Amino acid sequence: MGADSEPSPESVTAAAPGVADVRIGFGQQDPPAGGYTLTGFDDRLATMAEQQETLVGAGDYRAVFHLTYLTFSRRVRAALAAGRFADADWAADMSCRFVDAYLEQVRRWGRGDPTQCRAWRVAFGSAQSGRANVVQAMLLGMNAHIHYDLAFVTLGACRAAGDLSDPSPPRPSISRARVPDARYRDFLLINQVGWESIPHIQETVLRTFARTLAWGTKPVARLTRTLGQRLLMEARDTSWAHTSLLVHAPTETDRAAVAAMIDAHAASHTHLVAALTANPRRAVGGSRGWRDRQTDLPESARDQLLAMATTNPVVADLALRQLAFAGADPAVVLDALVDADQEELAGNFAAMVARHAPARRRKDLERYWRRGGRQAHAALTVALAGGYVAAGDLPRRAVARVHDAWQAALDDARRCVAVPEIAATPDLAEALRDYEQRQSDLLARTGRPPRPLHADTAPLPLVHAQTLLAVHPDPWVRVCAAGHGLTADHEGGHAMAQLIEQVLFLKSTAVFLEVDPASLLPVAEELQECTFGAGTAIIRSGDWADGIHLITEGRVRVTQDRDGRRVDVADLGRGDALGELSALNDAPATADCTAVTPVRTVFLATGVLAQLLHQHPRVAIGLVRVLSQRLTTTTLMLADG
């Protein structure tokens, strides 16, 4: 591809560049000696100003975005001088890398580099050929620079600051970003500067390249401003999500898949910009291209992103949303999620397809529900149960099948709890009654209320009830039944009794108070029992907690060094949590936790906690409750001197 090429959105969707950028470390270069400084930023701005004169002198319409970006960069430089950033060094590094990324894209276009991302090829080709009008030239450049370059640049700036120097393999994390909060605040501030600059950029660019628009009607000015601001805000959030996926990608293969997705995402938006033209044919073509977009995400990249979603709950929804937006076949993704025992993710993905996928894929989803089958039924059941989709938006027959299955399960639970031997077992009877209530609530979501159990229904023999309990859909009911020997095969005994005790203990703690027992079963199975002698350090300040300890027996004192003296922060006992701040902040502990008496705990690793947080948001309420109680206690202790 040479300088005279005139690519359109349709002509650059056959390949998926961007993967090469992972291998060559695009945006990841080491800082120069002395680092990226404000002086270096000033030098880059001077270089861009010189290039602007050259482009204008040559009548090259790429000067439109060049001036757009130069104007924005000058505003960022003013914000740096005003001290608006929390970490000026990091912001300067980020700003320099961002300019370098743009200048590298200019060089790639000039030499016809086939690995250049599709969004930049459309932006440069359409502008240089005169195919794009002023507004399109501005927005195509903004799209490519923010939707594509920004994720790599942010990753590079964080890596250079030492934020990503985790051990190998990476430590499990609850945080999507896995970088200090200050990074995200400064990232947002850079974009806030862009938001504030849109009117100034608009005036500068239009007066230079389209005086008619600059002095035209107010509606035109408002339109161009609104388009720029909307693109900037949407692209900002998307770029941070892309950065998070790159950070959490454990291998080069995974990062290459994320890079291919980033390239596809940026390329798809060129269709939307193509619609902003007075040429009716091109406007219709752009609109159709956006509605029916085919981003051509390679199957290998789709499969890698799907693997990330099923193995890393922290970024699962980010990966699935990108798959939905990219137009991944919903049947393929949903079947794979169900087969991987990730029905909850399947329900979430179905909702994302309905909101974010191209029109053709939304129709494919409707056909998938009508098709039926084991996987479709499982995905639809979870989608309805979780409120991811509404019954009114689904095929009636598919909803009816789910309703009938839920009604049958409700009837079985009602008949089981009426068996005298089961009714005399308090925890099992309570589990069945809780299940009844939840089933009744679910049936209401189908638009058809639950039917009462027929008065003439014969009593259920105990042996039949035991058979039903052994395969009951609620795992907590199964465990309670097995623990009391009330299943057909009489499995359970001591092991099941211990599991029940663990679940009931978790349920009694402030962290898991609002989580249903069935959801706590897999958590209880992952608990590690720990013992500590009196005087033993359970957690040391400066060390990574790598999870949460829940005290089952004994007393623990929490202390900190403040102003050169040791201060007691808290005195903790049964049911209290240790290490939650380190796990939540993805940072070393800030206090020492020492056993005052012999202590027993159960330990929940960060990876398990992360999955639980994303599957059951009520856990977050429990953690907030723990932290607020801890803050109140600490405040009172400090007030007492």
Side-chain angles (χ1 to χ4, degrees):
M1 177 175 54
D4 293 332
S5 301
E6 186 178 330
S8 66
E10 294 77 11
S11 68
V12 294
T13 53
V19 175
D21 282 335
V22 170
R23 300 195 175 102
I24 66 174
F26 177 66
Q28 311 304 301
Q29 67 273 13
D30 292 332
Y36 286 116
T37 63
L38 293 181
T39 300
F41 192 22
D42 290 336
D43 292 341
R44 287 165 172 79
L45 294 180
T47 298
M48 289 184 66
E50 293 174 1
Q51 292 177 340
Q52 177 68 17
E53 293 181 4
T54 301
L55 290 170
V56 171
D60 192 329
Y61 222 43
R62 288 179 298 165
V64 174
F65 175 70
H66 197 95
L67 179 58
T68 300
Y69 186 45
L70 175 59
T71 305
F72 161 71
S73 297
R74 285 169 172 164
R75 301 288 287 233
V76 172
R77 179 64 179 88
L80 282 163
R84 294 180 62 182
F85 292 94
D87 187 337
D89 292 337
W90 184 83
D93 183 297
M94 176 91 167
S95 299
C96 289
R97 286 176 189 274
F98 211 18
V99 174
D100 287 349
Y102 167 66
L103 296 179
E104 171 60 21
Q105 297 290 10
V106 172
R107 290 189 290 270
R108 288 182 179 185
W109 171 256
R111 63 176 181 262
D113 188 341
T115 69
Q116 185 168 39
C117 77
R118 289 173 283 181
W120 271 122
R121 282 188 276 160
V122 171
F124 286 140
S126 298
Q128 191 170 18
S129 67
R131 182 188 183 96
N133 58 44
V134 173
V135 173
Q136 288 177 316
M138 289 175 60
L139 296 179
L140 285 171
M142 289 174 63
N143 168 61
H145 200 38
I146 301 175
H147 269 140
Y148 186 82
D149 295 348
L150 184 54
F152 295 100
V153 167
T154 305
L155 180 72
C158 291
R159 176 172 284 114
D163 298 333
L164 305 179
S165 56
D166 283 350
S168 183
R171 178 179 288 106
S173 172
I174 292 175
S175 167
R176 283 178 174 173
R178 298 185 69 185
V179 297
D181 292 342
R183 302 289 179 254
Y184 187 46
R185 288 196 294 270
D186 280 346
F187 175 89
L188 292 177
L189 182 55
I190 290 175
N191 287 275
Q192 177 64 27
V193 171
W195 174 273
E196 297 167 356
S197 303
I198 289 291
H200 177 66
I201 291 172
Q202 172 184 275
E203 181 181 1
T204 301
V205 172
L206 294 184
R207 283 188 176 180
T208 303
F209 295 101
R211 289 186 176 274
T212 301
L213 288 179
W215 296 103
T217 63
K218 289 184 178 180
V220 171
R222 282 197 296 267
L223 174 64
T224 56
R225 182 181 306 178
T226 300
L227 289 171
Q229 289 175 331
R230 180 171 181 178
L231 175 61
L232 180 65
M233 294 302 290
E234 189 275 337
R236 176 202 69 183
D237 295 337
T238 300
S239 177
W240 188 260
H242 290 170
T243 301
S244 299
L245 286 170
L246 285 171
V247 169
H248 281 269
T251 67
E252 182 177 295
T253 301
D254 292 318
R255 288 188 292 274
V258 176
M261 177 273 299
I262 294 173
D263 175 76
H265 188 94
S268 68
H269 281 76
T270 60
H271 294 288
L272 193 59
V273 180
L276 303 175
T277 175
N279 184 308
R281 182 179 62 82
R282 290 182 179 177
V284 171
S287 298
R288 288 177 176 172
W290 172 255
R291 184 193 63 197
D292 301 323
R293 60 190 180 277
Q294 297 191 31
T295 56
D296 292 318
L297 183 68
E299 288 188 6
S300 59
R302 179 202 65 197
D303 293 342
Q304 287 298 125
L305 287 167
L306 190 54
M308 286 183 66
T310 56
T311 57
N312 189 342
V314 177
V315 293
D317 59 328
L318 297 181
L320 291 178
R321 175 168 177 165
Q322 294 306 316
L323 284 172
F325 182 88
D329 187 342
V332 172
V333 176
L334 288 169
D335 283 352
L337 290 172
V338 172
D339 289 342
D341 295 325
Q342 298 284 351
E343 287 86 355
E344 195 73 26
L345 290 181
N348 196 2
F349 179 73
M352 291 177 177
V353 171
R355 290 197 299 268
H356 305 297
R360 61 192 175 87
R361 289 310 191 191
R362 295 196 293 273
K363 293 179 181 178
D364 288 341
L365 181 62
E366 293 176 7
R367 285 191 284 268
Y368 179 75
W369 298 137
R370 291 192 179 93
R371 185 192 78 185
R374 178 185 65 83
Q375 293 123 319
H377 179 74
L380 182 56
T381 299
V382 174
L384 268 175
Y388 296 115
V389 294
D393 298 329
L394 297 167
R396 290 185 179 180
R397 289 185 180 181
V399 175
R401 287 193 293 267
V402 174
H403 176 277
D404 292 345
W406 281 346
Q407 182 67 56
L410 176 61
D411 291 343
D412 287 343
R414 287 167 170 170
R415 297 180 71 194
C416 284
V417 80
V419 175
E421 292 86 347
I422 294 174
T425 308
D427 54 358
L428 176 57
E430 182 180 358
L432 283 167
R433 283 191 289 270
D434 287 345
Y435 178 77
E436 284 184 50
Q437 183 59 54
R438 283 186 275 116
Q439 285 300 106
S440 297
D441 293 341
L442 289 178
L443 282 165
R445 294 187 178 182
T446 67
R448 298 165 58 187
R451 298 188 302 267
L453 193 63
H454 198 279
D456 296 333
T457 301
L460 190 68
L462 176 60
V463 64
H464 290 171
Q466 289 174 319
T467 301
L468 290 175
L469 291 173
V471 294
H472 197 277
D474 187 296
W476 178 238
V477 171
R478 293 199 304 269
V479 167
C480 288
H484 292 287
L486 289 172
T487 54
D489 53 12
H490 298 290
E491 287 185 359
H494 182 65
M496 284 297 179
Q498 281 188 320
L499 188 59
I500 292 173
E501 289 179 5
Q502 294 280 44
V503 170
L504 294 177
F505 167 72
L506 290 173
K507 184 71 176 168
S508 70
T509 65
V511 176
F512 299 110
L513 182 65
E514 299 192 36
V515 183
D516 63 275
S519 300
L520 291 177
L521 272 173
V523 180
E525 292 172 344
E526 296 288 342
L527 292 176
Q528 305 169 35
E529 295 187 357
C530 306
T531 58
F532 303 92
T536 303
I538 301 174
I539 297 175
R540 289 186 174 89
S541 178
D543 291 346
W544 294 79
D546 289 332
I548 292 181
H549 286 273
L550 294 168
I551 303 171
T552 60
E553 182 181 317
R555 305 297 302 177
V556 175
R557 181 167 293 124
V558 182
T559 59
Q560 282 183 328
D561 284 327
R562 294 180 182 171
D563 298 326
R565 62 190 182 94
R566 177 62 62 171
V567 176
D568 290 341
V569 176
D571 187 21
L572 306 178
R574 178 177 171 81
D576 288 327
L578 305 173
E580 73 285 350
L581 278 174
S582 177
L584 285 172
N585 291 332
D586 199 24
T590 59
D592 294 311
C593 301
T594 306
V596 178
T597 66
V599 170
R600 293 181 180 274
T601 71
V602 287
F603 179 73
L604 186 62
T606 299
V608 180
L609 181 63
Q611 184 168 1
L612 192 65
L613 273 169
H614 286 272
Q615 291 180 347
H616 303 282
R618 305 296 294 181
V619 176
I621 295 176
L623 287 169
V624 169
R625 182 184 297 110
V626 169
L627 295 176
S628 63
Q629 291 172 350
R630 193 72 50 82
L631 177 61
T632 300
T633 301
T634 303
T635 301
L636 292 174
M637 292 181 69
L638 292 175
D640 292 339

